[in-house]
Amino acid sequence: MKIAVAKGDGIGPEIMDAVLGIFNAAGVPLEYEFVDMGKWVFDKGYSNGMTPEAQQAIETLGILFKGPMETPKGKGVKSVNVTARKTWNTYANKRVFQTLHGVDTVFSKAGIPIDVTVVRENIEDTYGGIEHMLTHDVALSRRFITRPGSEQVIRYAFEMAKKKGARRITCGHKANIMKITDGLFLEVFYKVAEEYPDLKADDVIVDDLCMKLVTRPDSFDVVVLTNLQGDIVSDLCAGLVGGLGFAPSANIGDHICIFEAVHGTAPDIAGKNIANPTALLLSGIAMLRHLGFMESAAHIENALLFTLESGIHTGDFGDKSIPSVNTTEFANAIIANIGKLPAHGAKPVLPNMPMTPTHFKLEKNPMLESAEMAGEQIVGVDIFIESNEQPTDLANKLLQHTGVLFKLVTISNRGTQVWPKGSVFTNLVNQYRCRFESEDDSPLTQIDVLELYKRVMSEYKVCSLELLNMWEGKKAYSLAQGQ
């Protein structure tokens, strides 16, 4: 089987060479097509950080194994790591965090074992990177949570938990505050949970989740979260088991999957042959299991665990009374230990089940769409305007533009209501959300909204607007704080 390999930037080539050397010594039946991605590709003028040949190879082969990559700072380009995940719709980011004997942490010293799998939604949320300056003082980032996108990652998490034999699956969220976006994610979680009655499904507010993870991490099994929250929580979990140097990452999609180390490029030690290749090796082991090379994966992981138990370590971890080894020596130690079993946590050697490579040739972009809900109505509009006036003065002017169809319901600033009720102690910025609703609760049209927009813009700069929709009699928009 052939896979695409991108060595990456900084320490990437060193640790990738070490890992592929271990694969070759273990007789892993893979061929590698090396592709051009990373900072130096940006520097050549490719704005997405990869050459067209690299993109074609990855889309043909379906598997990318990549080292850490740097995105140039201050050049207006997007992260190549995020671009790759989003371009190929690798919607589920799976990271497994386990106690590793030989990697001391406060929990290992206390005898508390950790085995937590974090599944992070990988495409949506604020990682859409859709941002605008609405005024010279106010920036906006759009946060997209979709029903089909949420179902993709949540269903993957449940299927993975079922195959793993998990005892519990937990949804981390902030639906107590973000009732529409996180509320949708949580709603989909419990809808999918109905299909898996044998799994205990529950939810935890994300800040409480973080507190519980650093006090009782052994109480969690599988945790699924939205993109930004999942990014933060997965790095938190890495700290529980020794740091990002021990954090594997798998990005799973329907057609393309990416396996990578999530730590940085460490340019300060690049070229010194002292980097720790463990995270990339663990990611590679996850890739082997994904491809069905179960026997090779077990032999290599057991050799790694035996090596760590033996006290062999690179300079970033381990017993400081034992001299550290360099990257090459660490890899050679693992190779020498292939066939040996660790005293703790030995992985069972299962028969290989190699998957048949399937080369997808899509004719058009897949469209994700759930069944349309009945009774859609436009019942109003939020108009975001630039103004440095006091709320009452602003309201008095806007009331002259409502016409016969609209009524001005509320004005908020940074999400807090300031009219018709509010407090003089609420600090203001020069951008207001002004909510207009239907005068008699009758449905409105986009033309009605446009006419209101034209009247308001005759006096104010309109930064943006959002329709207030209802489906099946339920409001599909949030209230302001204090409304």
Side-chain angles (χ1 to χ4, degrees), residues 287-308:
M287 177 183 69
L288 295 182
R289 289 198 170 97
H290 176 79
L291 296 174
F293 299 121
M294 314 300 285
E295 186 175 346
S296 298
H299 285 317
I300 295 171
E301 187 167 6
N302 284 331
L304 168 64
L305 297 176
F306 185 94
T307 302
L308 293 173

Side-chain angles (χ1 to χ4, degrees), residues 129-176:
I130 303 171
E131 301 179 308
H132 299 86
M133 293 296 298
L134 298 187
T135 76
H136 67 279
D137 281 342
V138 180
L140 170 73
S141 175
R142 288 184 178 266
R143 182 176 195 253
F144 287 101
I145 303 293
T146 71
R147 192 181 306 276
S150 298
E151 184 172 352
Q152 275 189 321
V153 65
I154 289 169
R155 188 170 297 282
Y156 168 81
F158 271 91
E159 279 294 315
M160 183 273 299
K162 180 181 176 181
K163 291 176 183 176
K164 178 187 174 186
R167 65 187 187 280
R168 178 187 184 190
I169 181 168
T170 303
C171 179
H173 64 88
K174 196 66 178 172
N176 57 323

Side-chain angles (χ1 to χ4, degrees), residues 117-362:
T117 302
V118 173
V119 180
R120 162 193 172 194
E121 196 285 318
N122 227 10
I123 307 298
E124 304 179 345
D125 202 354
T126 52
Y127 280 69
I130 303 171
E131 301 179 308
H132 299 86
M133 293 296 298
L134 298 187
T135 76
H136 67 279
D137 281 342
V138 180
L140 170 73
S141 175
R142 288 184 178 266
R143 182 176 195 253
F144 287 101
I145 303 293
T146 71
R147 192 181 306 276
S150 298
E151 184 172 352
Q152 275 189 321
V153 65
I154 289 169
R155 188 170 297 282
Y156 168 81
F158 271 91
E159 279 294 315
M160 183 273 299
K162 180 181 176 181
K163 291 176 183 176
K164 178 187 174 186
R167 65 187 187 280
R168 178 187 184 190
I169 181 168
T170 303
C171 179
H173 64 88
K174 196 66 178 172
N176 57 323
I177 302 298
M178 294 178 284
K179 299 181 184 296
I180 302 295
T181 49
D182 271 35
L184 175 59
F185 192 80
L186 185 60
E187 175 191 331
V188 173
F189 174 80
Y190 279 116
K191 187 70 174 175
V192 174
E194 294 174 1
E195 303 174 32
Y196 298 84
D198 295 333
L199 275 172
K200 178 187 176 184
D202 56 20
D203 68 275
V204 181
I205 296 172
V206 68
D207 39 338
D208 187 31
L209 170 65
C210 290
M211 187 272 291
K212 286 184 167 74
L213 279 168
V214 298
T215 54
R216 287 297 307 272
D218 54 323
S219 65
F220 290 95
D221 198 340
V222 175
V223 183
V224 60
L225 306 102
T226 56
N227 202 334
L228 178 59
Q229 295 168 15
D231 192 3
I232 296 167
V233 169
S234 57
D235 275 20
L236 181 152
C237 289
L240 304 179
V241 297
L244 289 175
F246 305 96
S249 179
N251 301 284
I252 306 298
D254 290 335
H255 305 116
I256 296 171
C257 297
I258 304 169
F259 297 84
E260 61 183 340
V262 294
H263 58 66
T265 58
D268 55 322
I269 62 169
K272 297 181 180 180
N273 195 34
I274 59 173
N276 179 3
T278 302
L280 187 63
L281 179 58
L282 287 169
S283 301
I285 291 168
M287 177 183 69
L288 295 182
R289 289 198 170 97
H290 176 79
L291 296 174
F293 299 121
M294 314 300 285
E295 186 175 346
S296 298
H299 285 317
I300 295 171
E301 187 167 6
N302 284 331
L304 168 64
L305 297 176
F306 185 94
T307 302
L308 293 173
E309 278 187 354
S310 301
I312 299 171
H313 63 93
T314 50
D316 58 311
F317 76 100
D319 187 344
K320 299 304 179 184
S321 67
I322 301 175
S324 62
V325 298
N326 63 30
T327 309
T328 302
E329 292 166 339
F330 188 75
N332 287 338
I334 294 171
I335 291 170
N337 290 326
I338 291 175
K340 299 177 182 177
L341 295 178
H344 303 89
K347 305 301 177 182
V349 180
L350 303 175
N352 285 335
M353 299 180 292
M355 58 191 290
T356 302
T358 303
H359 302 307
F360 295 94
K361 188 174 182 181
L362 301 180

